[in-house]
Amino acid sequence: MATGVAAWLPFARAAAIGWMPVASCPMPVAPRDHRRRQDELIILNVSGRRFQTWRTTLDRYPDTLLGSSEKDFFYNEETKEYFFDRDPDAFRSILNFYRTGKLHFPRHECISAYDEELTFFGIIPEIIGDCCYEEYKDRKRENLERLQDDQEENKDVKLPHMNFRQTMWRAFENPHTSTMALVFYYVTGFFIAISVITNVVETVPCGSTPTQKDMPCGERYTVAFFCMDTACVMIFTVEYLLRLFAAPSRYRFMRSVMSIIDVVAILPYYIGLVMTDNEDVSGAFVTLRVFRVFRIFKFSRHSQGLRILGYTLKSCASELGFLLFSLTMAIIIFATVMFYAEKGSSSSKFTSIPASFWYTIVTMTTLGYGDMVPKTIAGKIFGSICSLSGVLVIALPVPVIVSNFSRIYHQNQRADKRRAQKGTNTGEQKLPKSACLLESQHHHLLHCLEKTTAHEFVDEQLYEQNYVEAVMQSFPAARRESVSSRDTATPTCCGRRSKRNTTLPIAALQPGVNQQGPLQELSAIHIQCADRPSRSTSRSKLNLKADDVGRLNCKGGRITTAIVSLPSPPALTTPDSDNLRGPPTRRPPLPSPGPSIQTTTSSANVVKVSAL
Amino acid sequence: MGALMVIFSLQPKQRRKPTDSVEDELELSAVRHRPEGLGQLEAQTRFSRKELQILYRGFKNECPSGIVNEETFKDIYAQFFPQGDASTYAHFLFNAFDTDHNGSVSFEDFVMGLSILLRGTIQEKLKWAFNLYDINKDGYITKEEMLDIMKAIYDMMGKCTYPVLKEETPRQHVEVFFQKMDKNKDGVVTIDEFIDCCQNDENIMRSMHLFENVL
């Protein structure tokens, strides 16, 4: 929960009194606030500069040095202050983090010094706010490259619970996921190259045979080339069909540029098969073969630079359009002028205005073939003006396109690096043994709501399951059976709340709680629980934005530095294959008002273990 | 000549209109509110000085302008209920807190409401709850009003609940409520019926004391 929202929690809890008359069951007991300290000022002496703040401000983030009891090690009895022998300038932004919930990166700071300060005070850099995050990451990357200490590994965590189709699509889109994908990638690349080379070699004159003089290779070795062509087209067809099968949205896939290129590449072959012996259309068929050259565009799947080039051209469409338009205007004007200037001279090549177009184009692009030259003086004068202005017109939009390309290219580089870094998220902090008070209070509030409405919050999957069952059968017993041994975690606001629905016959109480999960799951979690986009009119933000995958933003110190639970149902006893573990605790069966655990039995005869 | 043409074609550029948002910002920030003095608030509510100080600091931190309008209120409240849609209930809550009905909740409104909820007598709390349910503030809770409130509460649960939320659940709940509360079966619940009935209900009495240690 964000710090700002935490200030309103007492209000939300007080307002819950509005539900009480409506509820029909008793309410759960509220978590007790053990630390009933009066709010006091704390003095933090950082290398002589004294900072003062409220104790509660620091307590907002109990996973950090200042928020936990770790700061007691720095307490100075005589002066009654906490002394830190660190950089006071960097400490300013750290203290502001506690105050506002947003960590900023001061631009004048050295990146490694700042990193050290963050590490010392137990704050992970991923929570740097949006405003400063780009800068921070850029500087960090520069630093790393400078030190040539690039130890990023793009570890590939296999996302659990992906069916065959999704795995296949992933393999197609990212060939580095598995060896099969890589093999497929190289094989298709190889066949594209073969196909293009075949098309080219087909037209090369192969030397004379006794029957005819110079024949192109294609006509000489028809069978061989036909076999080659067939093989390539088979591979391409299979690849296209597989992609079509694996695509998450087939309609969107069919509309995409790459798939159109694929289709255009293989269609001529099939059309040729269909209409082999028709003399009339064979001429048209020959032209169709031209489209085979589009196979070379299939390389854009293999080359990122090519994709970027294509994207640049697309994004510079307006500049290109401007170039074309101004060129057209200039061509028409100059062609007209040249035609009328050269009309007088005899044996002039400038027979008509369209004929002059060719001269104008060749002159403006400074090609100057020399097949058409003006002979009159007026013609020569206008011709020179034409060539001078041609240089200008063409030189103007080109730098814009180039700079666009450069920008997009670098952005892409940065995006790649960022993606790679997300995969290796370090800096997980251990869960505090005692769940934070705010969390428990929030969960108590949600629990009260559940009691008022006599319904419980469940995970989306479980909900869908129940819904399907409710539709199919009306017996509650059936529902219980299929709910059996299925433990789900509810990705809630704070991400750490997990619920379980297990049936009584299977096991009375099942231990283990999902207190951790790979951080890559953040995207899935937040698509589920972030139903609303977080608005920033107030400074509180509860859920991560969906595009902040892997970045623990200022969503609140307590969760961001803690570990987020996994929404998908893993096996009961194995929390997760990842390396983030917390101690699975056994839950007491009595409804004890511990701040971390509550077990309740509902009227539906289902034992729920809700962990906070 | 071509250069001239080029220059001409560059002329009709698109001009960006200066956005009006700057003016809006200025307008909003001009609407500031300073609360009454600490001493006055201390007299009017049941909070101590220190508690008021803590409350105000949190309030001011979240709403620097000193007042909360309905949108902000809905946003804040919605953050506590991520799975459902808390906007309708927040709207009713806002109206319950905004006692002078001026469209915004100032610190005084906020703290008076909290004072009743956290430090008030049972009577006062029940009266506050009645005021919340009575949407048009006419002194009677009708079935329609209660249904609106009930739907708002169930909306906060969201879609993914166990058991699955049905259409008629809120209505049924309202029926149960009215059966319990409406003693003379005239279709409306008055404040006396409400307070009477709640005082006789043990569960409700106990839950009223639940949040006493919140601050």
Side-chain angles (χ1 to χ4, degrees), chain A residues 405-419:
Chain A
F405 179 81
S406 159
R407 182 179 52 86
I408 293 173
Y409 184 71
H410 285 300
Q411 223 174 308
N412 224 313
Q413 298 275 53
R414 225 178 288 154
D416 280 345
K417 286 285 176 78
R418 207 179 293 160
R419 232 175 286 134

Side-chain angles (χ1 to χ4, degrees), chain A residues 164 167-193 232-246 253 262 298-299 301-302:
Chain A
F164 177 63
T167 344
M168 217 160 68
W169 179 251
R170 201 150 163 265
F172 280 136
E173 292 298 296
N174 189 358
H176 299 286
T177 44
S178 63
T179 10
M180 265 314 291
L182 210 58
V183 162
F184 181 78
Y185 177 77
Y186 282 126
V187 162
T188 44
F190 175 69
F191 271 97
I192 295 173
C232 293
V233 169
M234 297 274 269
I235 300 268
F236 296 151
T237 318
V238 164
E239 181 206 350
Y240 181 72
L241 290 174
L242 281 179
R243 272 184 208 267
L244 189 63
F245 167 67
F253 172 71
D262 286 339
K298 286 164 73 76
F299 267 129
R301 277 212 185 93
H302 294 65

Side-chain angles (χ1 to χ4, degrees), chain A residues 35 226 231 259 297 415 440 610:
Chain A
R35 318 169 278 129
F226 182 72
S259 100
F297 283 116
S440 57
S610 73

Side-chain angles (χ1 to χ4, degrees), chain A residues 386-590:
Chain A
C386 174
S387 64
L388 285 174
S389 54
V391 173
L392 259 180
V393 170
I394 292 180
L396 278 177
V398 169
V400 179
I401 297 174
V402 166
S403 72
N404 260 358
F405 179 81
S406 159
R407 182 179 52 86
I408 293 173
Y409 184 71
H410 285 300
Q411 223 174 308
N412 224 313
Q413 298 275 53
R414 225 178 288 154
D416 280 345
K417 286 285 176 78
R418 207 179 293 160
R419 232 175 286 134
Q421 275 194 336
K422 273 182 213 164
T424 67
N425 193 317
T426 55
E428 251 64 276
Q429 312 221 321
K430 295 276 184 295
L431 265 186
K433 293 289 180 200
S434 61
C436 55
L437 186 67
L438 272 184
E439 293 275 325
S440 57
Q441 284 178 345
H442 186 198
H443 291 133
H444 173 252
L445 181 68
L446 289 170
H447 215 137
C448 285
L449 180 62
E450 285 181 341
K451 283 286 180 184
T452 313
T453 55
H455 286 68
E456 299 147 24
F457 291 108
V458 292
D459 179 25
E460 178 142 343
Q461 278 174 331
L462 193 57
Y463 162 73
E464 278 168 13
Q465 214 185 9
N466 289 344
Y467 187 73
V468 163
E469 281 151 23
V471 163
M472 291 198 316
Q473 298 143 326
S474 49
F475 299 129
R479 199 183 300 142
R480 240 183 289 155
E481 277 164 25
S482 46
V483 171
S484 65
S485 76
R486 266 273 200 155
D487 49 280
T488 58
T490 310
T492 68
C493 50
C494 319
R496 265 203 281 142
R497 183 175 195 229
S498 57
K499 265 183 167 311
R500 251 189 222 180
N501 284 324
T502 58
T503 64
L504 273 177
I506 300 288
L509 275 170
Q510 308 221 346
V513 112
N514 295 342
Q515 279 182 345
Q516 57 274 344
L519 239 51
Q520 290 84 355
E521 292 307 286
L522 269 170
S523 58
I525 291 178
H526 293 282
I527 292 167
Q528 275 187 346
C529 73
D531 289 326
R532 55 196 67 243
S534 50
R535 283 167 263 200
S536 44
T537 44
S538 65
R539 266 183 270 157
S540 45
K541 288 185 195 154
L542 195 61
N543 297 315
L544 272 178
K545 299 198 226 336
D547 57 348
D548 275 359
V549 175
R551 270 193 53 211
L552 305 172
N553 206 347
C554 47
K555 301 319 158 194
R558 288 184 215 242
I559 334 150
T560 59
T561 54
I563 303 166
V564 182
S565 66
L566 193 60
S568 61
L572 212 64
T573 46
T574 61
D576 207 69
S577 53
D578 218 48
N579 45 0
L580 318 163
R581 268 162 206 279
T585 49
R586 198 158 264 283
R587 311 255 163 274
L590 301 162

